[in-house]
């Protein structure tokens, strides 16, 4: 039985400072910052307030996931809802400079940005529900987080061809959360970020598709349009500094001359949905050539790009994912056929999706253990083998360490997820029942607790 | 509300489901129809473009005389598309050269509405004409397929006749 929390927790914010002598910082933090103002939110994650047009609202009618909407405090005036315990959840803000081994196993809250990538790009369904229950979106920094961040720091100087990483691990171990942490880190470090929270939506026949004679693929203009819109909104300050380096040709209009601001190029794609796929291709190519800002392309449900799509062509044959424009674009960057001069491509597998399970080509490329006997007679599609070539696997540990689990427990307890008083017996009981698995610990352990 | 060939398709329904409103189109045929018209699974009727609706109406008015669609060429992994300024005529020419002949399309044999009802009527009339047991049962308005008549023959008594509406 899930406990439904209807009261908003107010908290005092700690002034997050990276210049405190007691906090170990990353090497670049000693450089003076350019008058950055970090806006501190006074309320937690509320979901999308001003959703851009066409953005899907996940978990709206999803009865199975039971999307919780916390009631605002103003609607709960009755003294019964007053708590006897004072608000105790105080977390430091996730600042890139402070992410070192010292803060491992600490919970940090995600910063509230003006153009928050979470709000604009969207989130995977599980995480969206979790953030609705929490008073503010936060996560625990794990050792694998620091590993991923070190990889990102190294990747910022290299071509993205050399940094194509996929997070692997059993279901519920924290791959999507890790991707979110990487995304926030890059956004805070002034990277250009493009996040696809649910790659299944590219291949499950929920968006329009139309055959294009020039590219010989099935374009997905609406999804390309939405991606452009979100990319522009999140990265506007950085895109305003960039200009095109070559002439860009677009169908049915005069070519865009070199030196055009990238924002203007994106607006061409936003004015006419038919131009969106071409413009998106061109924009990614242009940001791949520039070396001012590194680029992060983050894709959750990464395995969906390698599975059979639900689309059918005009003869009712299944359309392969690499014959759809959006998955093809992502596959080209994931395989290194196209690359960013500086940046990385990060993917996170979703092992709990039965409609799009991990295919054998990707499993072999990432050198993962087989879940069933795959002999030499099992067909492997050569195109998918090629698109999966060179991917690096970053294994997320299947269980939280005791200190990490303790931080998770503290966050939920201080947020009053469980009505009983927190104690060691409850923590150890739930931790062992879940055998350290993060999702099982939170959902089946803490939130389903009857104690 | 979209009217196609006399059938109303509600706006709020998925197109793939709404097409089953036609007599003679079930879920499988509807899926194939949507694939032919490049309508994705979760497309609602209100999102259909006028071009798609016209194509749908044109196809359903006479499926057997529709133009066969060739199998369009699809990009290999190493394919580099020509620049966007390439004229449409050149692209059409190249696509036509590389397109392959389509195999038999089951959609061209479908019968809907009045044609489908006529098929049923003709079948029953034929059974009557040759004087078969099936024909006699239709004429008497009783069950045809060996069901019990001591009780429970309501549907047959209501619907079975030689000039069955279908």
């Amino acid at each position: 039985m899930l406990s439904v929390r209807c009261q908003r927790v107010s908290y005092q914010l700690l002034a997050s400072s990276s210049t405190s002598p007691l906090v170990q910082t990353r090497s670049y933090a000693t450089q003076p910052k350019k008058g950055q103002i970090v806006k501190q939110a006074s309320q937690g994650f509320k979901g999308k307030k001003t959703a851009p047009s066409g953005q899907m609202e996940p978990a709206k009618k999803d009865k199975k996931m039971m999307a919780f909407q916390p009631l605002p405090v103003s609607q709960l005036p009755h003294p019964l809802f007053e708590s006897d315990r004072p608000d105790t959840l105080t977390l430091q803000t996730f600042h890139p400079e402070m992410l070192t081994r010292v803060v491992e196993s600490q919970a940090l809250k995600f910063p509230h940005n003006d153009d928050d990538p979470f709000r604009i790009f969207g989130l995977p369904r599980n995480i969206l529900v979790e953030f609705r229950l929490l008073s503010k979106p936060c996560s625990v920094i794990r050792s694998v987080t620091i590993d991923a961040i070190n990889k990102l720091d190294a990747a910022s100087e290299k071509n993205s061809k050399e940094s194509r990483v996929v997070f692997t691990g059993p279901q519920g171990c924290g791959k999507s959360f890790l991707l979110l942490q990487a995304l926030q880190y890059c956004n805070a470090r002034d990277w250009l970020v493009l996040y696809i929270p649910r790659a299944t939506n590219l291949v499950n026949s929920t968006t329009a598709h139309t055959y294009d004679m020039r590219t010989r693929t099935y374009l997905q203009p609406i999804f390309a349009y939405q991606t452009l819109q979100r990319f522009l909104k999140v990265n506007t300050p950085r895109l305003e500094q960039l200009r095109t380096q070559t002439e860009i040709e677009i169908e049915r209009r005069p070519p865009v001359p070199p030196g055009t601001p990238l924002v203007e190029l994106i607006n061409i794609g936003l004015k006419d949905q038919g131009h969106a796929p071409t413009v998106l291709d061109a924009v990614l190519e242009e940001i791949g050539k520039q070396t001012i800002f590194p680029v992060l392309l983050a894709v959750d449900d990464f395995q969906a790009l390698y599975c059979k799509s639900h689309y059918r062509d005009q003869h009712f044959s299944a359309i392969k994912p690499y014959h759809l424009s959006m998955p093809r674009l992502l596959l080209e960057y994931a395989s290194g056929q196209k690359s960013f001069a500086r940046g990385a491509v990060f993917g996170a597998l979703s092992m709990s999706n039965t409609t799009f399970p991990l295919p054998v080509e990707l499993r072999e490329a990432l050198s993962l253990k087989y879940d069933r006997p795959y002999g030499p007679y099992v067909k492997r599609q050569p195109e998918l083998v090629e698109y999966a070539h060179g991917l690096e696997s970053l294994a997320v540990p299947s269980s939280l360490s005791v200190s990490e689990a303790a931080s998770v427990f503290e966050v939920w307890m201080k947020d009053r997820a469980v009505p009983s008083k927190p104690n060691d017996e409850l923590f150890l009981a739930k931790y062992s029942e879940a055998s350290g698995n993060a999702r099982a610990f939170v959902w089946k352990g803490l939130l389903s607790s009857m104690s | 509300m979209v009217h196609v060939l006399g059938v109303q398709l509600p706006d709020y329904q998925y197109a793939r489901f709404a097409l089953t409103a036609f007599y003679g189109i079930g879920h499988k045929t509807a899926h194939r129809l949507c694939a032919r018209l490049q309508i994705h699974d979760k497309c609602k009727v209100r999102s259909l473009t006028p071009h798609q609706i016209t194509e749908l109406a044109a196809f359903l008015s006479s499926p057997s005389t529709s133009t066969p669609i060739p199998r369009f060429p699809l990009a290999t992994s190493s394919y580099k598309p020509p620049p966007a300024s390439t004229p449409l005529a050149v692209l059409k020419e190249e696509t036509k050269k590389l397109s392959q002949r389509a195999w038999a399309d089951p959609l061209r044999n479908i019968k809907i509405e009045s044609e489908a009802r006529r098929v049923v009527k003709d079948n029953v009339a034929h059974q009557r004409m040759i004087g078969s047991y099936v024909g006699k049962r239709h004429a008497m308005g009783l069950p045809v397929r060996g069901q019990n008549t001591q009780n429970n023959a309501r549907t047959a008594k209501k619907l079975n006749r030689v000039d069955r509406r279908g």
Side-chain angles (χ1 to χ4, degrees):
Chain A
M1 183 182 78
L2 289 172
S3 55
V4 179
R5 293 171 44 254
C6 299
Q7 190 171 6
R8 190 65 50 100
V9 175
S10 60
Y11 53 85
Q12 287 169 355
L13 297 166
L14 284 174
S16 52
S17 162
S18 58
T19 54
S20 160
L22 299 171
V23 174
Q24 187 181 337
T25 58
R26 293 188 84 78
S27 53
Y28 45 76
T30 49
Q31 294 159 22
K33 282 185 283 186
K34 291 176 193 174
Q36 263 184 346
I37 303 167
V38 177
K39 280 206 178 173
Q40 308 269 346
S42 59
Q43 282 179 318
F45 189 77
K46 278 190 278 230
K48 294 176 279 297
K49 285 184 215 172
T50 52
S53 63
Q55 188 176 4
M56 285 193 297
E57 295 212 335
K60 203 166 100 172
K61 289 171 190 170
D62 194 356
K63 290 165 192 159
K64 283 178 210 161
M65 277 310 290
M66 292 179 284
F68 294 99
Q69 291 280 7
L71 278 178
V73 180
S74 53
Q75 289 188 20
L76 298 168
H78 197 278
L80 196 66
F81 294 115
E82 295 300 316
S83 171
D84 50 351
R85 275 186 276 157
D87 301 331
T88 50
L89 185 59
T90 50
L91 296 173
Q92 284 186 296
T93 310
F94 181 104
H95 262 308
E97 293 91 7
M98 64 195 288
L99 291 174
T100 57
R101 298 274 169 205
V102 172
V103 295
E104 265 182 38
S105 311
Q106 252 190 53
L108 299 179
K109 67 177 196 295
F110 287 118
H112 182 81
N113 308 309
D114 271 340
D115 294 318
D116 190 21
F118 291 175
R119 187 172 61 81
I120 291 169
F121 284 124
L123 288 168
R125 193 190 284 168
N126 292 340
I127 297 182
L128 185 72
V129 177
E130 210 163 299
F131 284 174
R132 282 191 181 158
L133 289 175
L134 286 169
S135 59
K136 50 189 163 282
C138 57
S139 66
V140 169
I141 305 299
R142 298 169 70 179
S143 56
V144 70
T145 313
I146 307 298
D147 294 340
I149 281 169
N150 288 341
K151 273 203 194 307
L152 282 171
D153 281 341
S156 70
E157 303 304 323
K158 294 192 290 195
N159 196 291
S160 72
K161 230 182 286 194
E162 297 159 48
S163 319
R164 296 172 284 129
V165 180
V166 180
F167 301 142
T168 58
Q171 49 176 310
C173 67
K175 302 178 286 294
S176 298
F177 254 104
L178 184 57
L179 198 62
L180 289 185
Q181 288 170 335
L183 175 70
Q184 277 290 351
Y185 178 79
C186 290
N187 190 41
R189 289 277 293 143
D190 233 20
W191 287 41
L192 287 161
V193 293
L194 177 57
Y195 178 47
I196 311 278
R198 304 169 198 204
T200 46
N201 287 341
L202 296 173
V203 290
N204 61 0
S205 192
T206 50
T207 180
H209 67 299
T210 170
Y211 180 75
D212 178 44
M213 287 187 287
R214 184 179 71 89
T215 51
R216 295 184 192 164
T217 55
Y218 289 86
L219 299 182
Q220 293 169 302
I222 297 180
F223 205 98
Y225 170 85
Q226 284 173 4
T227 309
L228 267 179
Q229 206 175 37
R230 292 166 189 177
F231 183 65
L232 176 64
K233 194 129 205 299
V234 172
N235 298 290
T236 314
R238 293 156 224 154
L239 288 170
E240 277 165 356
Q241 301 174 39
L242 297 175
R243 291 176 179 265
T244 57
Q245 294 176 21
T246 51
E247 192 183 64
I248 292 165
E249 294 181 3
I250 302 175
E251 296 95 345
R252 304 184 304 276
R253 73 180 306 285
V256 177
T260 315
L262 274 188
V263 177
E264 218 176 282
L265 175 61
I266 294 176
N267 283 330
I268 294 171
L270 296 181
K271 274 201 203 101
D272 182 359
Q273 268 186 9
H275 291 146
T278 316
V279 169
L280 181 63
D281 271 353
V283 166
L284 287 180
E285 231 177 273
E286 287 298 323
I287 64 172
K289 287 183 205 157
Q290 56 84 32
T291 50
I292 305 170
F293 300 106
V295 187
L296 175 69
L297 174 58
V299 181
D300 211 331
D301 282 340
F302 187 72
Q303 84 288 349
L305 301 176
Y306 293 83
C307 290
K308 288 186 205 173
S309 79
H310 289 176
Y311 284 99
R312 299 274 184 169
D313 71 2
Q314 284 152 319
H315 298 280
F316 208 59
S317 319
I319 301 179
K320 304 277 190 326
Y322 43 86
H323 290 146
L324 293 161
S325 68
M326 286 295 307
R328 190 185 178 92
L329 186 66
L330 300 177
L331 284 171
E332 281 171 346
Y333 281 98
S335 62
Q337 286 178 15
K338 292 188 180 171
S339 59
F340 307 115
R342 288 175 68 196
V345 178
F346 274 25
L349 300 181
S350 167
M351 305 299 271
S352 38
N353 196 326
T354 48
T355 335
F356 296 100
L358 186 63
V360 64
E361 295 90 352
L362 192 53
R363 196 179 276 276
E364 287 178 344
L366 296 171
S367 315
L368 297 175
K369 264 194 334 204
Y370 292 115
D371 57 343
R372 66 190 74 167
Y374 281 116
Y377 299 106
V378 170
K379 190 174 179 189
R380 289 144 176 90
Q381 289 186 46
E383 294 92 347
L384 289 180
V385 171
E386 200 188 317
Y387 280 120
H389 184 66
L391 288 171
E392 191 191 323
S393 157
L394 178 60
V396 179
S398 55
S399 53
L400 296 167
S401 69
V402 177
S403 43
E404 289 163 2
S407 297
V408 172
F409 182 76
E410 222 180 282
V411 164
W412 285 99
M413 286 301 134
K414 286 181 177 171
D415 241 1
R416 284 172 279 170
V418 177
S420 60
K421 262 192 115 177
N423 55 21
D424 283 343
E425 284 95 18
L426 179 69
F427 166 67
L428 281 175
K430 297 302 171 191
Y431 180 72
S432 355
E433 278 166 22
S435 60
N437 183 277
R439 187 188 291 163
F441 179 60
V442 172
W443 286 94
K444 298 206 173 82
L446 302 179
L447 294 177
S448 307
S449 164
M450 302 267 279
S451 57
Chain B
M1 278 294 190
V2 170
H3 282 266
V4 178
L5 298 184
V7 176
Q8 260 186 8
L9 304 179
D11 278 342
Y12 55 83
Q13 280 184 345
Y14 288 134
R16 203 177 128 187
F17 176 74
L19 288 177
T20 57
F22 286 96
Y23 183 91
I25 296 183
H27 292 290
K28 289 208 165 166
T29 322
H31 195 184
R32 276 189 179 264
L33 257 180
C34 287
R36 188 193 176 93
L37 302 166
Q38 293 190 64
I39 298 170
H40 58 281
D41 291 351
K42 298 294 172 191
C43 180
K44 299 239 167 142
V45 171
R46 60 172 162 247
S47 332
L48 290 176
T49 59
H51 175 69
Q52 281 171 323
I53 296 170
T54 324
E55 259 191 58
L56 176 69
F59 179 80
L60 289 178
S61 56
S62 70
S64 50
T65 58
S66 62
T67 47
I69 301 177
R71 285 179 2 233
F72 294 128
L74 292 169
T76 54
S77 52
S78 52
Y79 174 72
K80 292 277 170 275
S85 55
T86 317
L88 197 61
V90 170
L91 292 173
K92 276 188 179 164
E93 188 63 47
E94 272 188 40
T95 308
K96 199 172 164 186
K97 249 191 288 182
L98 294 166
S99 300
Q100 292 167 330
R101 252 193 66 193
W103 44 67
D105 186 6
L107 276 181
R108 304 186 77 219
N109 303 328
I110 63 168
K111 291 189 173 5
I112 62 166
E113 293 296 326
S114 52
E115 273 181 21
R117 286 182 224 271
R118 197 183 315 132
V119 165
V120 176
K121 223 186 248 185
D122 288 349
N123 289 342
V124 174
H126 172 256
Q127 293 285 359
R128 187 76 185 108
M129 188 189 71
I130 61 174
S132 68
Y133 175 77
V134 169
K136 284 185 193 145
R137 296 300 277 182
H138 269 294
M140 286 196 283
L142 289 173
V144 174
R145 292 177 180 178
Q147 294 99 319
N148 287 348
T149 47
Q150 187 169 18
N151 293 311
N152 296 348
R154 306 293 168 123
T155 312
K157 285 177 186 168
K158 186 162 67 169
L159 294 181
N160 279 5
R161 54 198 73 149
V162 178
D163 58 342
R164 213 192 135 110
R165 62 153 184 83

